[in-house]
Amino acid sequence: MDIDTLNGLIKCPLFQGIHRDVIVDLMHSVRYRVMRYGKGEIFAIEGDACLHIDIVVQGEMVAKVVSPSGRVMRMNLHHSGNMLAPAFLYATHNVYPVTVEATRESFILRLMPEDLEALFSVEPRLYMNFIKVLSNIVSFLTKRVSMLSMSVRERLCFFLFEEMQRQGTTDVVLTQSRQEIADSFGVQKFSLQRCMNELKQEGIIDYTGKNVRIIKPDNLT
């Protein structure tokens, strides 16, 4: 196993709390392969069967939903260490609910379900970590569904408040472009920008580029 693949697995929540040497030994006991995807290459299309455990070990993949009208809603961005659709592997209707595309050169480690189950029997911590991964996905999707019922302004306030908490500061640095944030909200970029301008005019936030200062945090909730 090369060092980049190992580092990707170390970041993966499936292997949380497991020493790197143990990870190497575990992976040597099962079959796996590493696949390369170039920038813009499609990994999975909405409706494709989900038959494997796939882990991003290098690069970046975006999960998105495309409506019949062509509108794109960006659901999630997967970095090194992220698992792709693990909650659907054992589902009765085990198909990808989204389209997954490489945003830059990416490498995916693939495990067969029976090999994952073999690892569970050898290392019980993997089983518990897998349950935690699934629980976090449910939590994430619940938040996403809640956001869909909000106005664009409410979604923006919710997003900024979460970023403020995550970064631990009222001086938030956005890691995504305006277009990427708008896609994650399922709205047009100009709608997002209009709401940002409104919050700025009301003195709730101030911003320059990707730097956003939260002046009145209580007004975001």
Side-chain angles (χ1 to χ4, degrees):
M1 177 181 295
D2 65 80
I3 189 64
D4 291 326
T5 299
L6 176 58
N7 286 338
L9 293 181
I10 290 171
K11 296 175 185 176
C12 181
L14 182 64
F15 294 95
Q16 184 179 2
I18 300 176
H19 192 273
R20 61 189 299 129
D21 293 339
V22 176
I23 294 174
V24 171
D25 290 341
L26 288 170
M27 296 307 297
H28 281 166
S29 69
V30 295
R31 301 162 296 169
Y32 69 88
R33 62 188 177 114
V34 177
M35 305 172 295
R36 176 193 172 277
Y37 289 83
K39 181 179 179 180
E41 192 171 351
I42 300 295
F43 170 78
I45 296 175
E46 182 179 349
D48 284 352
C50 181
L51 303 174
H52 315 95
I53 283 292
D54 293 309
I55 303 171
V56 181
V57 290
Q58 289 184 68
E60 184 180 83
M61 311 285 284
V62 63
K64 57 188 179 180
V65 175
V66 183
S67 71
S69 64
R71 174 175 289 184
V72 175
M73 183 170 185
R74 178 173 164 161
M75 297 298 293
N76 205 0
L77 196 62
H78 296 287
H79 301 281
S80 175
N82 290 164
M83 303 172 72
L84 299 174
F88 295 90
L89 178 64
Y90 293 106
T92 302
H93 187 56
N94 58 328
V95 298
Y96 274 89
V98 294
T99 294
V100 182
E101 177 185 338
T103 56
R104 52 191 171 93
E105 184 182 43
S106 300
F107 294 85
I108 309 297
L109 182 142
R110 169 164 290 179
L111 271 173
M112 298 297 290
E114 55 267 30
D115 289 308
L116 176 65
E117 291 154 21
L119 290 177
F120 287 162
S121 65
V122 174
E123 178 49 77
R125 283 177 295 181
L126 286 173
Y127 182 72
M128 290 307 302
N129 285 343
F130 189 68
I131 291 176
K132 289 178 183 177
V133 168
L134 300 186
S135 298
N136 287 334
I137 290 173
V138 171
S139 177
F140 169 77
L141 291 178
T142 300
K143 288 182 179 180
R144 296 291 298 185
V145 171
S146 297
M147 284 186 68
L148 292 177
S149 64
M150 299 177 183
S151 66
V152 180
R153 180 186 171 114
E154 288 171 332
R155 294 182 204 183
L156 176 60
C157 289
F158 180 84
F159 170 78
L160 291 174
F161 188 78
E162 282 213 321
E163 283 298 304
M164 182 182 69
Q165 290 186 313
R166 186 179 67 84
Q167 297 183 30
T169 176
T170 54
D171 291 319
V172 171
V173 178
L174 302 179
T175 58
Q176 305 173 55
S177 68
R178 298 283 195 278
Q179 186 62 62
E180 289 169 337
I181 295 172
D183 288 344
S184 72
F185 289 0
V187 301
Q188 298 293 331
K189 180 181 175 181
F190 73 83
S191 298
L192 172 69
Q193 190 61 54
R194 182 181 67 244
C195 289
M196 289 194 71
N197 290 340
E198 288 176 359
L199 293 179
K200 184 174 182 177
Q201 291 168 4
E202 294 170 21
I204 298 172
I205 67 170
D206 192 15
Y207 66 85
T208 303
K210 290 191 173 184
N211 298 301
V212 180
R213 172 163 290 180
I214 312 297
I215 301 171
K216 299 178 181 178
D218 291 344
N219 288 48
L220 296 179
T221 58

